[in-house]
mmCIF file of all heavy atoms in Angstrom:
data_model
loop_
_atom_site.group_PDB
_atom_site.id
_atom_site.type_symbol
_atom_site.label_atom_id
_atom_site.label_comp_id
_atom_site.label_asym_id
_atom_site.label_seq_id
_atom_site.Cartn_x
_atom_site.Cartn_y
_atom_site.Cartn_z
ATOM 1 N N THR A 599 10.387 -2.600 1.551
ATOM 2 C CA THR A 599 9.241 -3.298 1.943
ATOM 3 C C THR A 599 8.249 -3.521 0.725
ATOM 4 O O THR A 599 8.043 -2.620 -0.056
ATOM 5 C CB THR A 599 8.419 -2.415 3.050
ATOM 6 O OG1 THR A 599 9.308 -2.278 4.086
ATOM 7 C CG2 THR A 599 7.249 -3.209 3.526
ATOM 8 N N THR A 600 7.792 -4.687 0.532
ATOM 9 C CA THR A 600 6.847 -5.039 -0.537
ATOM 10 C C THR A 600 5.590 -5.736 0.054
ATOM 11 O O THR A 600 5.711 -6.204 1.137
ATOM 12 C CB THR A 600 7.576 -5.967 -1.561
ATOM 13 O OG1 THR A 600 7.946 -7.173 -0.926
ATOM 14 C CG2 THR A 600 8.681 -5.187 -2.259
ATOM 15 N N PRO A 601 4.479 -5.752 -0.622
ATOM 16 C CA PRO A 601 3.306 -6.311 -0.059
ATOM 17 C C PRO A 601 3.519 -7.880 0.128
ATOM 18 O O PRO A 601 4.238 -8.514 -0.608
ATOM 19 C CB PRO A 601 2.174 -6.136 -1.184
ATOM 20 C CG PRO A 601 2.793 -4.904 -1.973
ATOM 21 C CD PRO A 601 4.257 -5.061 -1.937
ATOM 22 N N ASP A 602 2.769 -8.356 1.155
ATOM 23 C CA ASP A 602 2.850 -9.759 1.387
ATOM 24 C C ASP A 602 1.357 -10.240 1.627
ATOM 25 O O ASP A 602 0.431 -9.439 1.669
ATOM 26 C CB ASP A 602 3.779 -10.254 2.582
ATOM 27 C CG ASP A 602 3.257 -9.521 3.839
ATOM 28 O OD1 ASP A 602 2.155 -9.552 4.218
ATOM 29 O OD2 ASP A 602 4.140 -9.107 4.604
ATOM 30 N N GLU A 603 1.252 -11.494 1.683
ATOM 31 C CA GLU A 603 -0.121 -12.192 1.778
ATOM 32 C C GLU A 603 -0.948 -11.614 2.925
ATOM 33 O O GLU A 603 -2.176 -11.579 2.889
ATOM 34 C CB GLU A 603 -0.070 -13.740 1.771
ATOM 35 C CG GLU A 603 0.402 -14.313 0.538
ATOM 36 C CD GLU A 603 0.462 -15.890 0.677
ATOM 37 O OE1 GLU A 603 0.164 -16.394 1.809
ATOM 38 O OE2 GLU A 603 0.871 -16.491 -0.386
ATOM 39 N N SER A 604 -0.227 -11.373 4.106
ATOM 40 C CA SER A 604 -0.964 -10.851 5.291
ATOM 41 C C SER A 604 -1.653 -9.500 5.069
ATOM 42 O O SER A 604 -2.590 -9.172 5.702
ATOM 43 C CB SER A 604 0.042 -10.715 6.394
ATOM 44 O OG SER A 604 0.903 -9.603 6.181
ATOM 45 N N MET A 605 -1.283 -8.835 4.003
ATOM 46 C CA MET A 605 -2.061 -7.525 3.619
ATOM 47 C C MET A 605 -3.160 -7.599 2.798
ATOM 48 O O MET A 605 -3.904 -6.603 2.574
ATOM 49 C CB MET A 605 -0.843 -6.585 2.977
ATOM 50 C CG MET A 605 0.269 -6.312 3.807
ATOM 51 S SD MET A 605 1.448 -5.235 3.062
ATOM 52 C CE MET A 605 2.831 -5.324 4.269
ATOM 53 N N GLU A 606 -3.391 -8.770 2.147
ATOM 54 C CA GLU A 606 -4.430 -8.956 1.132
ATOM 55 C C GLU A 606 -5.824 -9.029 1.807
ATOM 56 O O GLU A 606 -5.959 -9.704 2.961
ATOM 57 C CB GLU A 606 -4.316 -10.315 0.383
ATOM 58 C CG GLU A 606 -2.891 -10.257 -0.551
ATOM 59 C CD GLU A 606 -2.670 -11.612 -1.171
ATOM 60 O OE1 GLU A 606 -3.494 -12.403 -1.145
ATOM 61 O OE2 GLU A 606 -1.505 -11.735 -1.821
ATOM 62 N N GLY A 607 -6.740 -8.251 1.256
ATOM 63 C CA GLY A 607 -8.055 -8.270 1.877
ATOM 64 C C GLY A 607 -8.298 -7.504 3.103
ATOM 65 O O GLY A 607 -9.184 -7.756 3.835
ATOM 66 N N GLN A 608 -7.302 -6.633 3.436
ATOM 67 C CA GLN A 608 -7.253 -5.946 4.718
ATOM 68 C C GLN A 608 -7.581 -4.487 4.558
ATOM 69 O O GLN A 608 -7.436 -3.966 3.385
ATOM 70 C CB GLN A 608 -5.988 -6.113 5.380
ATOM 71 C CG GLN A 608 -5.516 -7.608 5.581
ATOM 72 C CD GLN A 608 -6.470 -8.254 6.561
ATOM 73 O OE1 GLN A 608 -6.890 -7.652 7.575
ATOM 74 N NE2 GLN A 608 -6.755 -9.541 6.248
ATOM 75 N N GLN A 609 -7.945 -3.810 5.680
ATOM 76 C CA GLN A 609 -7.929 -2.318 5.621
ATOM 77 C C GLN A 609 -6.492 -1.847 6.042
ATOM 78 O O GLN A 609 -6.084 -2.114 7.082
ATOM 79 C CB GLN A 609 -8.918 -1.823 6.685
ATOM 80 C CG GLN A 609 -8.870 -0.310 6.934
ATOM 81 C CD GLN A 609 -9.384 0.423 5.752
ATOM 82 O OE1 GLN A 609 -10.429 0.328 5.088
ATOM 83 N NE2 GLN A 609 -8.482 1.324 5.161
ATOM 84 N N LEU A 610 -5.834 -1.297 5.158
ATOM 85 C CA LEU A 610 -4.454 -0.935 5.186
ATOM 86 C C LEU A 610 -4.412 0.641 5.343
ATOM 87 O O LEU A 610 -4.980 1.439 4.627
ATOM 88 C CB LEU A 610 -3.669 -1.275 4.051
ATOM 89 C CG LEU A 610 -3.677 -2.816 3.694
ATOM 90 C CD1 LEU A 610 -2.832 -3.077 2.374
ATOM 91 C CD2 LEU A 610 -3.100 -3.612 4.929
ATOM 92 N N TYR A 611 -3.457 1.067 6.344
ATOM 93 C CA TYR A 611 -3.212 2.512 6.390
ATOM 94 C C TYR A 611 -1.551 2.585 6.261
ATOM 95 O O TYR A 611 -0.781 1.982 7.018
ATOM 96 C CB TYR A 611 -3.535 2.915 7.830
ATOM 97 C CG TYR A 611 -4.962 3.082 8.118
ATOM 98 C CD1 TYR A 611 -5.637 1.946 8.564
ATOM 99 C CD2 TYR A 611 -5.602 4.243 7.872
ATOM 100 C CE1 TYR A 611 -7.031 2.068 8.785
ATOM 101 C CE2 TYR A 611 -7.011 4.327 8.064
ATOM 102 C CZ TYR A 611 -7.750 3.231 8.637
ATOM 103 O OH TYR A 611 -9.093 3.116 8.782
ATOM 104 N N LEU A 612 -1.186 3.227 5.226
ATOM 105 C CA LEU A 612 0.203 3.358 4.875
ATOM 106 C C LEU A 612 0.664 4.749 5.439
ATOM 107 O O LEU A 612 0.230 5.777 4.938
ATOM 108 C CB LEU A 612 0.506 3.248 3.353
ATOM 109 C CG LEU A 612 -0.074 2.003 2.705
ATOM 110 C CD1 LEU A 612 0.438 2.022 1.220
ATOM 111 C CD2 LEU A 612 0.367 0.790 3.438
ATOM 112 N N LEU A 613 1.464 4.745 6.504
ATOM 113 C CA LEU A 613 1.825 5.848 7.299
ATOM 114 C C LEU A 613 3.288 6.261 7.054
ATOM 115 O O LEU A 613 4.096 5.583 7.325
ATOM 116 C CB LEU A 613 1.591 5.690 8.723
ATOM 117 C CG LEU A 613 0.328 5.119 9.152
ATOM 118 C CD1 LEU A 613 0.202 4.807 10.542
ATOM 119 C CD2 LEU A 613 -0.953 5.986 8.827
ATOM 120 N N ASP A 614 3.393 7.514 6.501
ATOM 121 C CA ASP A 614 4.747 8.019 6.088
ATOM 122 C C ASP A 614 5.391 6.995 5.174
ATOM 123 O O ASP A 614 6.672 6.984 5.228
ATOM 124 C CB ASP A 614 5.568 8.244 7.436
ATOM 125 C CG ASP A 614 6.705 9.256 7.267
ATOM 126 O OD1 ASP A 614 6.627 9.888 6.185
ATOM 127 O OD2 ASP A 614 7.535 9.444 8.119
ATOM 128 N N PHE A 615 4.682 6.464 4.338
ATOM 129 C CA PHE A 615 5.162 5.471 3.364
ATOM 130 C C PHE A 615 4.013 5.263 2.296
ATOM 131 O O PHE A 615 2.916 5.354 2.471
ATOM 132 C CB PHE A 615 5.519 4.222 4.151
ATOM 133 C CG PHE A 615 5.734 2.936 3.260
ATOM 134 C CD1 PHE A 615 7.054 2.810 2.768
ATOM 135 C CD2 PHE A 615 4.900 2.040 2.940
ATOM 136 C CE1 PHE A 615 7.446 1.635 2.025
ATOM 137 C CE2 PHE A 615 5.144 1.095 2.134
ATOM 138 C CZ PHE A 615 6.382 0.740 1.585
ATOM 139 N N CYS A 616 4.610 4.738 1.118
ATOM 140 C CA CYS A 616 3.539 4.213 0.210
ATOM 141 C C CYS A 616 4.261 3.169 -0.710
ATOM 142 O O CYS A 616 5.383 3.272 -1.086
ATOM 143 C CB CYS A 616 3.257 5.524 -0.649
ATOM 144 S SG CYS A 616 1.847 5.156 -1.882
ATOM 145 N N PHE A 617 3.402 2.235 -1.139
ATOM 146 C CA PHE A 617 3.839 1.327 -2.141
ATOM 147 C C PHE A 617 3.887 1.854 -3.497
ATOM 148 O O PHE A 617 3.306 2.984 -3.727
ATOM 149 C CB PHE A 617 2.872 0.048 -2.110
ATOM 150 C CG PHE A 617 3.107 -0.808 -0.963
ATOM 151 C CD1 PHE A 617 2.014 -1.145 -0.125
ATOM 152 C CD2 PHE A 617 4.342 -1.402 -0.474
ATOM 153 C CE1 PHE A 617 2.086 -1.874 1.034
ATOM 154 C CE2 PHE A 617 4.436 -2.308 0.492
ATOM 155 C CZ PHE A 617 3.275 -2.493 1.390
ATOM 156 N N LYS A 618 4.568 1.173 -4.330
ATOM 157 C CA LYS A 618 4.575 1.621 -5.822
ATOM 158 C C LYS A 618 3.205 1.404 -6.345
ATOM 159 O O LYS A 618 2.486 0.661 -5.869
ATOM 160 C CB LYS A 618 5.563 0.768 -6.551
ATOM 161 C CG LYS A 618 7.105 0.889 -6.116
ATOM 162 C CD LYS A 618 8.027 -0.101 -6.892
ATOM 163 C CE LYS A 618 9.441 0.022 -6.427
ATOM 164 N NZ LYS A 618 10.300 -0.885 -7.056
ATOM 165 N N PRO A 619 2.813 2.043 -7.411
ATOM 166 C CA PRO A 619 1.578 2.041 -8.060
ATOM 167 C C PRO A 619 1.154 0.624 -8.318
ATOM 168 O O PRO A 619 -0.069 0.138 -8.110
ATOM 169 C CB PRO A 619 1.654 2.918 -9.267
ATOM 170 C CG PRO A 619 2.727 3.864 -9.030
ATOM 171 C CD PRO A 619 3.558 3.241 -8.067
ATOM 172 N N GLU A 620 2.064 -0.110 -8.959
ATOM 173 C CA GLU A 620 1.704 -1.521 -9.338
ATOM 174 C C GLU A 620 1.361 -2.429 -8.083
ATOM 175 O O GLU A 620 0.633 -3.408 -8.037
ATOM 176 C CB GLU A 620 2.820 -2.137 -10.120
ATOM 177 C CG GLU A 620 4.226 -2.344 -9.570
ATOM 178 C CD GLU A 620 5.076 -1.039 -9.845
ATOM 179 O OE1 GLU A 620 4.536 0.004 -10.086
ATOM 180 O OE2 GLU A 620 6.283 -1.273 -9.679
ATOM 181 N N GLU A 621 2.147 -2.140 -6.941
ATOM 182 C CA GLU A 621 1.810 -2.800 -5.696
ATOM 183 C C GLU A 621 0.530 -2.372 -5.102
ATOM 184 O O GLU A 621 -0.100 -3.345 -4.618
ATOM 185 C CB GLU A 621 3.036 -2.639 -4.663
ATOM 186 C CG GLU A 621 4.293 -3.072 -5.287
ATOM 187 C CD GLU A 621 5.525 -2.727 -4.366
ATOM 188 O OE1 GLU A 621 5.454 -1.629 -3.785
ATOM 189 O OE2 GLU A 621 6.596 -3.517 -4.417
ATOM 190 N N LEU A 622 0.209 -1.201 -5.254
ATOM 191 C CA LEU A 622 -1.114 -0.659 -4.741
ATOM 192 C C LEU A 622 -2.179 -1.378 -5.573
ATOM 193 O O LEU A 622 -3.262 -1.884 -4.917
ATOM 194 C CB LEU A 622 -1.226 0.801 -4.888
ATOM 195 C CG LEU A 622 -0.306 1.552 -3.871
ATOM 196 C CD1 LEU A 622 -0.391 3.112 -4.285
ATOM 197 C CD2 LEU A 622 -0.727 1.398 -2.505
ATOM 198 N N LYS A 623 -2.090 -1.425 -6.733
ATOM 199 C CA LYS A 623 -3.015 -2.036 -7.634
ATOM 200 C C LYS A 623 -3.159 -3.565 -7.293
ATOM 201 O O LYS A 623 -4.313 -3.934 -7.407
ATOM 202 C CB LYS A 623 -2.724 -1.842 -9.167
ATOM 203 C CG LYS A 623 -2.758 -0.375 -9.680
ATOM 204 C CD LYS A 623 -2.332 -0.343 -11.020
ATOM 205 C CE LYS A 623 -2.401 1.204 -11.598
ATOM 206 N NZ LYS A 623 -1.833 1.166 -12.959
ATOM 207 N N TYR A 624 -2.046 -4.207 -7.156
ATOM 208 C CA TYR A 624 -2.137 -5.589 -6.677
ATOM 209 C C TYR A 624 -2.945 -5.779 -5.449
ATOM 210 O O TYR A 624 -3.801 -6.595 -5.415
ATOM 211 C CB TYR A 624 -0.816 -6.129 -6.520
ATOM 212 C CG TYR A 624 -0.749 -7.513 -6.022
ATOM 213 C CD1 TYR A 624 -1.010 -8.696 -6.772
ATOM 214 C CD2 TYR A 624 -0.432 -7.686 -4.605
ATOM 215 C CE1 TYR A 624 -0.898 -9.938 -6.125
ATOM 216 C CE2 TYR A 624 -0.423 -8.938 -4.052
ATOM 217 C CZ TYR A 624 -0.690 -10.053 -4.801
ATOM 218 O OH TYR A 624 -0.817 -11.334 -4.248
ATOM 219 N N LEU A 625 -2.759 -4.969 -4.424
ATOM 220 C CA LEU A 625 -3.380 -5.219 -3.167
ATOM 221 C C LEU A 625 -4.864 -4.832 -3.289
ATOM 222 O O LEU A 625 -5.779 -5.477 -2.756
ATOM 223 C CB LEU A 625 -2.816 -4.194 -2.149
ATOM 224 C CG LEU A 625 -1.392 -4.634 -1.565
ATOM 225 C CD1 LEU A 625 -0.791 -3.481 -0.798
ATOM 226 C CD2 LEU A 625 -1.568 -5.979 -0.686
ATOM 227 N N ILE A 626 -5.234 -3.903 -4.153
ATOM 228 C CA ILE A 626 -6.656 -3.534 -4.385
ATOM 229 C C ILE A 626 -7.361 -4.811 -5.076
ATOM 230 O O ILE A 626 -8.477 -5.085 -4.758
ATOM 231 C CB ILE A 626 -6.782 -2.278 -5.230
ATOM 232 C CG1 ILE A 626 -6.305 -1.124 -4.382
ATOM 233 C CG2 ILE A 626 -8.110 -2.108 -5.824
ATOM 234 C CD1 ILE A 626 -6.138 0.226 -5.154
ATOM 235 N N SER A 627 -6.555 -5.392 -6.030
ATOM 236 C CA SER A 627 -7.202 -6.458 -6.701
ATOM 237 C C SER A 627 -7.322 -7.679 -5.899
ATOM 238 O O SER A 627 -8.211 -8.537 -6.137
ATOM 239 C CB SER A 627 -6.212 -6.983 -7.837
ATOM 240 O OG SER A 627 -5.159 -7.611 -7.350
ATOM 241 N N LYS A 628 -6.673 -7.706 -4.748
ATOM 242 C CA LYS A 628 -6.943 -8.731 -3.740
ATOM 243 C C LYS A 628 -7.904 -8.500 -2.601
ATOM 244 O O LYS A 628 -8.005 -9.125 -1.528
ATOM 245 C CB LYS A 628 -5.572 -9.078 -3.101
ATOM 246 C CG LYS A 628 -4.507 -9.733 -4.049
ATOM 247 C CD LYS A 628 -4.997 -11.102 -4.498
ATOM 248 C CE LYS A 628 -3.981 -11.777 -5.512
ATOM 249 N NZ LYS A 628 -4.472 -13.016 -6.083
ATOM 250 N N GLY A 629 -8.546 -7.255 -2.694
ATOM 251 C CA GLY A 629 -9.631 -6.901 -1.844
ATOM 252 C C GLY A 629 -9.317 -5.971 -0.851
ATOM 253 O O GLY A 629 -10.060 -5.668 0.187
ATOM 254 N N SER A 630 -8.126 -5.381 -0.814
ATOM 255 C CA SER A 630 -7.749 -4.440 0.251
ATOM 256 C C SER A 630 -8.198 -3.178 -0.079
ATOM 257 O O SER A 630 -8.413 -2.688 -1.231
ATOM 258 C CB SER A 630 -6.138 -4.396 0.357
ATOM 259 O OG SER A 630 -5.554 -5.653 0.622
ATOM 260 N N THR A 631 -8.525 -2.347 1.016
ATOM 261 C CA THR A 631 -8.840 -0.902 0.974
ATOM 262 C C THR A 631 -7.661 -0.249 1.585
ATOM 263 O O THR A 631 -7.111 -0.601 2.623
ATOM 264 C CB THR A 631 -10.151 -0.625 1.576
ATOM 265 O OG1 THR A 631 -10.151 -1.005 2.894
ATOM 266 C CG2 THR A 631 -11.223 -1.176 0.892
ATOM 267 N N ILE A 632 -7.167 0.871 0.824
ATOM 268 C CA ILE A 632 -5.857 1.527 1.385
ATOM 269 C C ILE A 632 -6.045 2.893 1.533
ATOM 270 O O ILE A 632 -6.571 3.581 0.696
ATOM 271 C CB ILE A 632 -4.825 1.264 0.221
ATOM 272 C CG1 ILE A 632 -4.730 -0.319 -0.051
ATOM 273 C CG2 ILE A 632 -3.530 1.728 0.774
ATOM 274 C CD1 ILE A 632 -3.860 -0.580 -1.264
ATOM 275 N N THR A 633 -5.688 3.456 2.697
ATOM 276 C CA THR A 633 -5.550 4.778 2.992
ATOM 277 C C THR A 633 -4.083 5.154 3.059
ATOM 278 O O THR A 633 -3.249 4.528 4.021
ATOM 279 C CB THR A 633 -6.236 5.193 4.321
ATOM 280 O OG1 THR A 633 -7.536 4.977 4.236
ATOM 281 C CG2 THR A 633 -6.094 6.648 4.627
ATOM 282 N N VAL A 634 -3.584 6.115 2.303
ATOM 283 C CA VAL A 634 -2.119 6.574 2.293
ATOM 284 C C VAL A 634 -2.092 7.919 2.909
ATOM 285 O O VAL A 634 -2.751 8.806 2.556
ATOM 286 C CB VAL A 634 -1.545 6.697 0.748
ATOM 287 C CG1 VAL A 634 -0.168 7.071 0.756
ATOM 288 C CG2 VAL A 634 -1.798 5.239 0.163
ATOM 289 N N ILE A 635 -1.172 7.912 3.912
ATOM 290 C CA ILE A 635 -0.953 9.223 4.603
ATOM 291 C C ILE A 635 0.633 9.426 4.568
ATOM 292 O O ILE A 635 1.330 9.039 5.454
ATOM 293 C CB ILE A 635 -1.465 9.244 6.004
ATOM 294 C CG1 ILE A 635 -2.955 8.776 6.046
ATOM 295 C CG2 ILE A 635 -1.207 10.585 6.729
ATOM 296 C CD1 ILE A 635 -3.516 8.700 7.449
ATOM 297 N N ASP A 636 1.035 10.038 3.399
ATOM 298 C CA ASP A 636 2.498 10.144 3.248
ATOM 299 C C ASP A 636 2.737 11.698 2.772
ATOM 300 O O ASP A 636 1.857 12.414 2.517
ATOM 301 C CB ASP A 636 2.888 9.210 2.151
ATOM 302 C CG ASP A 636 4.423 9.007 1.930
ATOM 303 O OD1 ASP A 636 5.028 9.357 2.911
ATOM 304 O OD2 ASP A 636 4.788 8.451 0.966
ATOM 305 N N HIS A 637 4.064 12.018 2.697
ATOM 306 C CA HIS A 637 4.461 13.215 2.263
ATOM 307 C C HIS A 637 5.567 13.210 1.255
ATOM 308 O O HIS A 637 5.982 14.356 0.850
ATOM 309 C CB HIS A 637 4.908 14.128 3.516
ATOM 310 C CG HIS A 637 6.268 13.660 3.993
ATOM 311 N ND1 HIS A 637 7.420 14.363 3.673
ATOM 312 C CD2 HIS A 637 6.523 12.655 4.965
ATOM 313 C CE1 HIS A 637 8.441 13.648 4.344
ATOM 314 N NE2 HIS A 637 7.799 12.772 5.087
ATOM 315 N N HIS A 638 5.989 12.079 0.916
ATOM 316 C CA HIS A 638 7.205 11.934 -0.158
ATOM 317 C C HIS A 638 6.649 12.185 -1.484
ATOM 318 O O HIS A 638 5.772 11.520 -1.975
ATOM 319 C CB HIS A 638 7.821 10.613 0.064
ATOM 320 C CG HIS A 638 8.395 10.346 1.267
ATOM 321 N ND1 HIS A 638 7.701 9.667 2.371
ATOM 322 C CD2 HIS A 638 9.620 10.591 1.908
ATOM 323 C CE1 HIS A 638 8.497 9.551 3.447
ATOM 324 N NE2 HIS A 638 9.710 10.081 3.088
ATOM 325 N N LYS A 639 7.020 13.316 -1.971
ATOM 326 C CA LYS A 639 6.554 13.977 -3.231
ATOM 327 C C LYS A 639 6.341 12.920 -4.476
ATOM 328 O O LYS A 639 5.216 12.829 -5.038
ATOM 329 C CB LYS A 639 7.294 15.137 -3.783
ATOM 330 C CG LYS A 639 7.105 16.303 -2.746
ATOM 331 C CD LYS A 639 7.828 17.544 -3.311
ATOM 332 C CE LYS A 639 7.773 18.670 -2.286
ATOM 333 N NZ LYS A 639 8.398 19.879 -2.732
ATOM 334 N N ASN A 640 7.370 12.207 -4.750
ATOM 335 C CA ASN A 640 7.431 11.401 -6.044
ATOM 336 C C ASN A 640 6.467 10.154 -5.670
ATOM 337 O O ASN A 640 5.563 9.747 -6.601
ATOM 338 C CB ASN A 640 8.731 10.850 -6.253
ATOM 339 C CG ASN A 640 9.660 11.900 -6.883
ATOM 340 O OD1 ASN A 640 9.132 12.905 -7.248
ATOM 341 N ND2 ASN A 640 10.979 11.629 -6.809
ATOM 342 N N ALA A 641 6.445 9.597 -4.536
ATOM 343 C CA ALA A 641 5.605 8.533 -4.235
ATOM 344 C C ALA A 641 4.037 8.962 -4.068
ATOM 345 O O ALA A 641 3.074 8.162 -4.660
ATOM 346 C CB ALA A 641 5.971 7.929 -2.808
#
């Protein structure tokens, strides 16, 4: 799963999942606010 246009400028909750750092930065640059609730250590 990768970001798409529907996620831009939205309030996002990433549950049991997280995008890569560069993908998170991209979404933030497009106006999204993001809450990550994950447990996968590396991510």
Side-chain angles (χ1 to χ4, degrees):
T599 306
T600 56
D602 59 43
E603 291 183 357
S604 69
M605 301 177 188
E606 296 177 5
Q608 302 296 320
Q609 172 65 58
L610 303 177
Y611 294 86
L612 306 185
L613 309 175
D614 205 5
F615 172 83
C616 187
F617 286 122
K618 297 176 182 178
E620 60 268 25
E621 294 170 334
L622 294 171
K623 291 178 181 178
Y624 170 79
L625 288 168
I626 291 170
S627 74
K628 294 297 183 178
S630 299
T631 55
I632 306 170
T633 299
V634 177
I635 307 179
D636 194 16
H637 72 96
H638 298 93
K639 292 183 179 180
N640 292 340

